[in-house]
Amino acid sequence: YQRRRRRAQHCAPAPGAVSLAELLASRADPPQLEIDCDSIALLPYSSGTTGLPKGVMLTHRQLVTVGRQLVRALSVDDHDVTLAVAPWFHILGFTAELLVPLMAGATIVTTPRFDPDSFLALIDRYQVTYLAGPPPLASLLAYDPRVLDHDLSHLELFGSGGARLAPGTHEALVS
């Protein structure tokens, strides 16, 4: 109780802050903003696979462009559902699991942490149509016997990123 109480006090709204509930209930027109398309919008950090980790400066123009390209290339629309398992601070999670579905009007199902059993249950329950994730996630879908306990027939697309996907895993996913 004490811990929860302290957390609630720590998370008190800042002066002048508007809660999400108030924002959603508002009938006011959204503020008109001018954004410089070439200004930095996102600063994700690389993992340092080929050197030291570094910030990657991405502009509004770059994010909108890649979002539009992916929505079109993947044919994502408002009928699609994705399950966000990669963290949104990672570029795969941000682009494929947040930016693309938001731009397409798709549904995003979130989970606080990855667990194989709940992952498979959520795909089944929410009839997830596309996923993005690293090769180990592809391996789980291709080889784990627990997959057979779930209806994943609505899953149309799996996008792999972050590392090389073994050809055998790709073939197992397709079959």
Side-chain angles (χ1 to χ4, degrees):
Y1 171 75
Q2 282 297 98
R3 189 171 166 189
R4 187 176 302 168
R5 186 171 167 206
R6 268 186 265 146
R7 186 180 299 143
Q9 289 172 348
H10 176 71
C11 295
V18 177
S19 73
L20 180 59
E22 290 175 279
L23 185 64
L24 293 173
S26 173
R27 300 282 184 236
D29 289 334
Q32 295 301 311
L33 301 174
E34 278 194 41
I35 296 174
D36 175 5
C37 294
D38 295 312
S39 65
I40 303 303
L42 187 66
L43 188 64
Y45 280 77
S46 72
S47 63
T49 330
T50 60
L52 292 174
K54 57 194 135 311
V56 180
M57 297 184 287
L58 300 175
T59 66
H60 293 275
R61 184 184 316 275
Q62 291 167 321
L63 291 173
V64 169
T65 300
V66 78
R68 286 180 176 167
Q69 289 172 336
L70 287 170
V71 166
R72 186 171 181 150
L74 302 176
S75 300
V76 179
D77 64 27
D78 60 350
H79 295 97
D80 283 301
V81 178
T82 191
L83 174 58
V85 292
W88 289 342
F89 62 78
H90 188 280
I91 197 64
L92 176 70
F94 181 83
T95 55
E97 297 178 348
L98 184 63
L99 180 66
V100 168
L102 286 176
M103 289 180 80
T107 299
I108 305 169
V109 177
T110 62
T111 181
R113 69 190 57 81
F114 179 80
D115 168 72
D117 292 316
S118 64
F119 168 73
L120 294 169
L122 289 169
I123 294 172
D124 187 352
R125 178 178 178 189
Y126 291 101
Q127 299 182 354
V128 170
T129 58
Y130 83 92
L131 286 169
L137 203 57
S139 294
L140 183 141
L141 290 170
Y143 304 118
D144 196 302
R146 291 174 286 191
V147 169
L148 300 174
D149 297 333
H150 300 278
D151 176 12
L152 306 187
S153 62
H154 33 269
L155 187 57
E156 299 169 2
L157 175 69
F158 179 84
S160 182
R164 181 180 168 273
L165 181 64
T169 303
H170 178 262
E171 291 164 11
L173 275 175
V174 172
S175 60

mmCIF file with all atom_site columns, all heavy atoms in Angstrom, residues 132-145:
data_model
loop_
_atom_site.group_PDB
_atom_site.id
_atom_site.type_symbol
_atom_site.label_atom_id
_atom_site.label_alt_id
_atom_site.label_comp_id
_atom_site.label_asym_id
_atom_site.label_entity_id
_atom_site.label_seq_id
_atom_site.pdbx_PDB_ins_code
_atom_site.Cartn_x
_atom_site.Cartn_y
_atom_site.Cartn_z
_atom_site.occupancy
_atom_site.B_iso_or_equiv
_atom_site.pdbx_formal_charge
_atom_site.auth_seq_id
_atom_site.auth_comp_id
_atom_site.auth_asym_id
_atom_site.auth_atom_id
_atom_site.pdbx_PDB_model_num
ATOM 1  N N   . ALA A 1 132 ? 5.521  -8.017  -36.542 1.00 0.00 ? 132 ALA A N   1
ATOM 2  C CA  . ALA A 1 132 ? 6.906  -7.678  -36.840 1.00 0.00 ? 132 ALA A CA  1
ATOM 3  C C   . ALA A 1 132 ? 7.722  -8.071  -35.628 1.00 0.00 ? 132 ALA A C   1
ATOM 4  O O   . ALA A 1 132 ? 7.296  -7.865  -34.491 1.00 0.00 ? 132 ALA A O   1
ATOM 5  C CB  . ALA A 1 132 ? 7.042  -6.187  -37.110 1.00 0.00 ? 132 ALA A CB  1
ATOM 6  N N   . GLY A 1 133 ? 8.871  -8.671  -35.872 1.00 0.00 ? 133 GLY A N   1
ATOM 7  C CA  . GLY A 1 133 ? 9.695  -9.070  -34.749 1.00 0.00 ? 133 GLY A CA  1
ATOM 8  C C   . GLY A 1 133 ? 11.031 -9.620  -35.188 1.00 0.00 ? 133 GLY A C   1
ATOM 9  O O   . GLY A 1 133 ? 11.293 -9.802  -36.381 1.00 0.00 ? 133 GLY A O   1
ATOM 10 N N   . PRO A 1 134 ? 11.878 -9.927  -34.232 1.00 0.00 ? 134 PRO A N   1
ATOM 11 C CA  . PRO A 1 134 ? 13.210 -10.461 -34.526 1.00 0.00 ? 134 PRO A CA  1
ATOM 12 C C   . PRO A 1 134 ? 13.124 -11.949 -34.895 1.00 0.00 ? 134 PRO A C   1
ATOM 13 O O   . PRO A 1 134 ? 12.111 -12.604 -34.650 1.00 0.00 ? 134 PRO A O   1
ATOM 14 C CB  . PRO A 1 134 ? 13.964 -10.252 -33.209 1.00 0.00 ? 134 PRO A CB  1
ATOM 15 C CG  . PRO A 1 134 ? 12.889 -10.326 -32.168 1.00 0.00 ? 134 PRO A CG  1
ATOM 16 C CD  . PRO A 1 134 ? 11.669 -9.715  -32.800 1.00 0.00 ? 134 PRO A CD  1
ATOM 17 N N   . PRO A 1 135 ? 14.188 -12.488 -35.464 1.00 0.00 ? 135 PRO A N   1
ATOM 18 C CA  . PRO A 1 135 ? 14.200 -13.900 -35.862 1.00 0.00 ? 135 PRO A CA  1
ATOM 19 C C   . PRO A 1 135 ? 13.786 -14.906 -34.778 1.00 0.00 ? 135 PRO A C   1
ATOM 20 O O   . PRO A 1 135 ? 13.111 -15.882 -35.097 1.00 0.00 ? 135 PRO A O   1
ATOM 21 C CB  . PRO A 1 135 ? 15.640 -14.118 -36.327 1.00 0.00 ? 135 PRO A CB  1
ATOM 22 C CG  . PRO A 1 135 ? 16.024 -12.786 -36.886 1.00 0.00 ? 135 PRO A CG  1
ATOM 23 C CD  . PRO A 1 135 ? 15.387 -11.789 -35.940 1.00 0.00 ? 135 PRO A CD  1
ATOM 24 N N   . PRO A 1 136 ? 14.133 -14.712 -33.496 1.00 0.00 ? 136 PRO A N   1
ATOM 25 C CA  . PRO A 1 136 ? 13.666 -15.691 -32.505 1.00 0.00 ? 136 PRO A CA  1
ATOM 26 C C   . PRO A 1 136 ? 12.135 -15.786 -32.440 1.00 0.00 ? 136 PRO A C   1
ATOM 27 O O   . PRO A 1 136 ? 11.580 -16.852 -32.161 1.00 0.00 ? 136 PRO A O   1
ATOM 28 C CB  . PRO A 1 136 ? 14.241 -15.175 -31.177 1.00 0.00 ? 136 PRO A CB  1
ATOM 29 C CG  . PRO A 1 136 ? 15.460 -14.413 -31.587 1.00 0.00 ? 136 PRO A CG  1
ATOM 30 C CD  . PRO A 1 136 ? 15.093 -13.755 -32.895 1.00 0.00 ? 136 PRO A CD  1
ATOM 31 N N   . LEU A 1 137 ? 11.452 -14.690 -32.709 1.00 0.00 ? 137 LEU A N   1
ATOM 32 C CA  . LEU A 1 137 ? 9.987  -14.717 -32.741 1.00 0.00 ? 137 LEU A CA  1
ATOM 33 C C   . LEU A 1 137 ? 9.501  -15.533 -33.937 1.00 0.00 ? 137 LEU A C   1
ATOM 34 O O   . LEU A 1 137 ? 8.539  -16.291 -33.832 1.00 0.00 ? 137 LEU A O   1
ATOM 35 C CB  . LEU A 1 137 ? 9.459  -13.287 -32.809 1.00 0.00 ? 137 LEU A CB  1
ATOM 36 C CG  . LEU A 1 137 ? 8.044  -13.042 -32.335 1.00 0.00 ? 137 LEU A CG  1
ATOM 37 C CD1 . LEU A 1 137 ? 7.854  -13.487 -30.907 1.00 0.00 ? 137 LEU A CD1 1
ATOM 38 C CD2 . LEU A 1 137 ? 7.711  -11.572 -32.479 1.00 0.00 ? 137 LEU A CD2 1
ATOM 39 N N   . ALA A 1 138 ? 10.184 -15.385 -35.064 1.00 0.00 ? 138 ALA A N   1
ATOM 40 C CA  . ALA A 1 138 ? 9.854  -16.189 -36.243 1.00 0.00 ? 138 ALA A CA  1
ATOM 41 C C   . ALA A 1 138 ? 10.073 -17.669 -35.946 1.00 0.00 ? 138 ALA A C   1
ATOM 42 O O   . ALA A 1 138 ? 9.263  -18.519 -36.331 1.00 0.00 ? 138 ALA A O   1
ATOM 43 C CB  . ALA A 1 138 ? 10.697 -15.746 -37.435 1.00 0.00 ? 138 ALA A CB  1
ATOM 44 N N   . SER A 1 139 ? 11.153 -17.974 -35.250 1.00 0.00 ? 139 SER A N   1
ATOM 45 C CA  . SER A 1 139 ? 11.436 -19.373 -34.884 1.00 0.00 ? 139 SER A CA  1
ATOM 46 C C   . SER A 1 139 ? 10.354 -19.936 -33.984 1.00 0.00 ? 139 SER A C   1
ATOM 47 O O   . SER A 1 139 ? 9.942  -21.092 -34.142 1.00 0.00 ? 139 SER A O   1
ATOM 48 C CB  . SER A 1 139 ? 12.796 -19.476 -34.189 1.00 0.00 ? 139 SER A CB  1
ATOM 49 O OG  . SER A 1 139 ? 13.827 -19.144 -35.086 1.00 0.00 ? 139 SER A OG  1
ATOM 50 N N   . LEU A 1 140 ? 9.883  -19.139 -33.046 1.00 0.00 ? 140 LEU A N   1
ATOM 51 C CA  . LEU A 1 140 ? 8.798  -19.588 -32.172 1.00 0.00 ? 140 LEU A CA  1
ATOM 52 C C   . LEU A 1 140 ? 7.568  -19.950 -33.013 1.00 0.00 ? 140 LEU A C   1
ATOM 53 O O   . LEU A 1 140 ? 6.978  -21.017 -32.842 1.00 0.00 ? 140 LEU A O   1
ATOM 54 C CB  . LEU A 1 140 ? 8.453  -18.504 -31.149 1.00 0.00 ? 140 LEU A CB  1
ATOM 55 C CG  . LEU A 1 140 ? 7.381  -18.881 -30.134 1.00 0.00 ? 140 LEU A CG  1
ATOM 56 C CD1 . LEU A 1 140 ? 7.747  -18.327 -28.771 1.00 0.00 ? 140 LEU A CD1 1
ATOM 57 C CD2 . LEU A 1 140 ? 6.024  -18.372 -30.529 1.00 0.00 ? 140 LEU A CD2 1
ATOM 58 N N   . LEU A 1 141 ? 7.204  -19.071 -33.934 1.00 0.00 ? 141 LEU A N   1
ATOM 59 C CA  . LEU A 1 141 ? 6.032  -19.328 -34.767 1.00 0.00 ? 141 LEU A CA  1
ATOM 60 C C   . LEU A 1 141 ? 6.230  -20.523 -35.703 1.00 0.00 ? 141 LEU A C   1
ATOM 61 O O   . LEU A 1 141 ? 5.289  -21.239 -36.009 1.00 0.00 ? 141 LEU A O   1
ATOM 62 C CB  . LEU A 1 141 ? 5.691  -18.080 -35.589 1.00 0.00 ? 141 LEU A CB  1
ATOM 63 C CG  . LEU A 1 141 ? 5.146  -16.905 -34.796 1.00 0.00 ? 141 LEU A CG  1
ATOM 64 C CD1 . LEU A 1 141 ? 5.089  -15.653 -35.669 1.00 0.00 ? 141 LEU A CD1 1
ATOM 65 C CD2 . LEU A 1 141 ? 3.770  -17.213 -34.227 1.00 0.00 ? 141 LEU A CD2 1
ATOM 66 N N   . ALA A 1 142 ? 7.459  -20.725 -36.143 1.00 0.00 ? 142 ALA A N   1
ATOM 67 C CA  . ALA A 1 142 ? 7.728  -21.794 -37.102 1.00 0.00 ? 142 ALA A CA  1
ATOM 68 C C   . ALA A 1 142 ? 7.875  -23.167 -36.451 1.00 0.00 ? 142 ALA A C   1
ATOM 69 O O   . ALA A 1 142 ? 7.477  -24.172 -37.041 1.00 0.00 ? 142 ALA A O   1
ATOM 70 C CB  . ALA A 1 142 ? 8.993  -21.467 -37.890 1.00 0.00 ? 142 ALA A CB  1
ATOM 71 N N   . TYR A 1 143 ? 8.430  -23.213 -35.230 1.00 0.00 ? 143 TYR A N   1
ATOM 72 C CA  . TYR A 1 143 ? 8.821  -24.503 -34.672 1.00 0.00 ? 143 TYR A CA  1
ATOM 73 C C   . TYR A 1 143 ? 8.204  -24.875 -33.328 1.00 0.00 ? 143 TYR A C   1
ATOM 74 O O   . TYR A 1 143 ? 8.260  -26.034 -32.939 1.00 0.00 ? 143 TYR A O   1
ATOM 75 C CB  . TYR A 1 143 ? 10.351 -24.562 -34.521 1.00 0.00 ? 143 TYR A CB  1
ATOM 76 C CG  . TYR A 1 143 ? 11.092 -24.309 -35.803 1.00 0.00 ? 143 TYR A CG  1
ATOM 77 C CD1 . TYR A 1 143 ? 11.952 -23.217 -35.922 1.00 0.00 ? 143 TYR A CD1 1
ATOM 78 C CD2 . TYR A 1 143 ? 10.951 -25.156 -36.887 1.00 0.00 ? 143 TYR A CD2 1
ATOM 79 C CE1 . TYR A 1 143 ? 12.660 -22.980 -37.100 1.00 0.00 ? 143 TYR A CE1 1
ATOM 80 C CE2 . TYR A 1 143 ? 11.646 -24.926 -38.075 1.00 0.00 ? 143 TYR A CE2 1
ATOM 81 C CZ  . TYR A 1 143 ? 12.497 -23.838 -38.166 1.00 0.00 ? 143 TYR A CZ  1
ATOM 82 O OH  . TYR A 1 143 ? 13.182 -23.607 -39.326 1.00 0.00 ? 143 TYR A OH  1
ATOM 83 N N   . ASP A 1 144 ? 7.671  -23.945 -32.594 1.00 0.00 ? 144 ASP A N   1
ATOM 84 C CA  . ASP A 1 144 ? 7.190  -24.246 -31.246 1.00 0.00 ? 144 ASP A CA  1
ATOM 85 C C   . ASP A 1 144 ? 5.880  -25.038 -31.321 1.00 0.00 ? 144 ASP A C   1
ATOM 86 O O   . ASP A 1 144 ? 4.925  -24.602 -31.964 1.00 0.00 ? 144 ASP A O   1
ATOM 87 C CB  . ASP A 1 144 ? 6.975  -22.951 -30.462 1.00 0.00 ? 144 ASP A CB  1
ATOM 88 C CG  . ASP A 1 144 ? 6.848  -23.201 -28.975 1.00 0.00 ? 144 ASP A CG  1
ATOM 89 O OD1 . ASP A 1 144 ? 5.945  -23.964 -28.568 1.00 0.00 ? 144 ASP A OD1 1
ATOM 90 O OD2 . ASP A 1 144 ? 7.646  -22.631 -28.210 1.00 0.00 ? 144 ASP A OD2 1
ATOM 91 N N   . PRO A 1 145 ? 5.801  -26.183 -30.647 1.00 0.00 ? 145 PRO A N   1
ATOM 92 C CA  . PRO A 1 145 ? 4.575  -26.999 -30.706 1.00 0.00 ? 145 PRO A CA  1
ATOM 93 C C   . PRO A 1 145 ? 3.357  -26.315 -30.089 1.00 0.00 ? 145 PRO A C   1
ATOM 94 O O   . PRO A 1 145 ? 2.221  -26.674 -30.422 1.00 0.00 ? 145 PRO A O   1
ATOM 95 C CB  . PRO A 1 145 ? 4.950  -28.277 -29.936 1.00 0.00 ? 145 PRO A CB  1
ATOM 96 C CG  . PRO A 1 145 ? 6.162  -27.936 -29.151 1.00 0.00 ? 145 PRO A CG  1
ATOM 97 C CD  . PRO A 1 145 ? 6.858  -26.807 -29.844 1.00 0.00 ? 145 PRO A CD  1
#
